[in-house]
Amino acid sequence: MKLIARRTLLAAALALPSVGALAAGLTMGFSQVGAESEWRTANSASIKAAAKEAGITLKFADAQQKQENQVKAIRSYIAQKVDVIAFSPVVESGWDTVLKEAKAAGIPVILTDRAVKVADPSLFVTFIGSDFVEEGRKAGRWLLERAAKTPNASLNIVELQGTVGSAPAIDRKKGFEEVIKTNPKLQIIRSQSGEFTRAKGKEVMESFLKQRDKKIDVLYAHNDDMAIGAIQAIEEAGLKPGVDIVIISIDGVRGAFEAMKAGKLNVTVECNPLLGPQLMQLAKDIVAKKPVDKRITVNEGVFPAEVAAKELPNRKY
């Protein structure tokens, strides 16, 4: 009887799919914000490559910076009965209804790169991405240290914000202001959205430069692409970026390191876009019913212009 029982248990165990088999048959629906920057392009490439490497079927949709496109994509994934949904939200609010639909369908949701504000936190399983508030703080701390070298000088700052209502725009502004308010000589005199794009960053910076009531000492850009666009505007105005106007930005893309090497940008705060491998492992763990943390952050650094030449060959994005 014992031998029969053991054979029965063994047969049952062999009949069950392993975690690896479950992962191999996984289908993920992913809705990306868009392709607005070098960072986003690298992020999308990382996700696609990691899915292929992990044997996960990826259904990828570009929302082109529109929330309604992301909602449609998520509903499409629900209808297709994918195993897991992941997305990087265009803005923070307005997700409750569609996420309730995903939960009702029994499909777990992973947030990547950007967070959401929902009444019920159980509508998503986990969030993987950077700490945007801390990125803003890092930018602010760098400026405080620089300002300390000329303690009697007042510095007028202009700010290029990201997409209105997006988590990185809100949080990077919050973190930066939290730090610089400790020095009353640092004042943000103008702030406007550059929509995270080079073209809009250039356009808004041109507008800032035309307003000659106050001298601009510092530009704080919420991402490198806007900073690079602004650099072009500064040069066209006959000024030297990185010298006449100190430039601080966030992301750490290759273009920023090239600008620093050329002496046109002073510092970039890293925001790592290569989340693909971690995302795919999370998807596997969630489908296998393994516990995961609600908030997963990535390690990132601050790169001033002095290290740009040395670090540039090491950049993967």
Side-chain angles (χ1 to χ4, degrees), residues 10 18 70 80 93 102 122 129 132 154 158 169 173 175 177 191 197 200 218 230 240-241 257 268 270 282 285 314:
L10 179 60
S18 66
Q70 287 199 303
Q80 294 175 64
S93 59
S122 74
F132 298 133
S154 295
V158 294
K173 182 176 182 64
E177 290 181 346
S191 183
T197 69
K200 193 66 176 180
V218 179
K240 291 184 177 180
F257 280 80
T268 184
E270 186 177 36
L282 268 176
D285 290 345
N314 302 325

Side-chain angles (χ1 to χ4, degrees), residues 144 154-155 180-187:
L144 278 184
S154 295
L155 297 178
I180 67 165
K181 71 180 181 182
T182 61
N183 184 343
K185 292 184 177 293
L186 304 180
Q187 296 291 327

Side-chain angles (χ1 to χ4, degrees), residues 70-80 85 97-98 101:
Q70 287 199 303
V71 172
K72 288 178 184 176
I74 292 169
R75 286 191 169 131
S76 171
Y77 298 147
I78 294 170
Q80 294 175 64
I85 292 171
T97 300
V98 73
E101 292 170 17

Side-chain angles (χ1 to χ4, degrees), residues 131-145 175-176 179 220 248 250 267 269-270 298-302:
D131 184 336
F132 298 133
V133 176
E134 184 58 25
E135 288 172 352
R137 291 188 189 118
K138 288 175 180 176
R141 290 185 198 115
W142 184 89
L143 183 57
L144 278 184
E145 290 177 11
F176 185 76
V179 171
Y220 168 46
I248 305 165
I250 297 177
V267 64
V269 176
E270 186 177 36
V298 291
N299 294 322
E300 297 160 337
V302 177

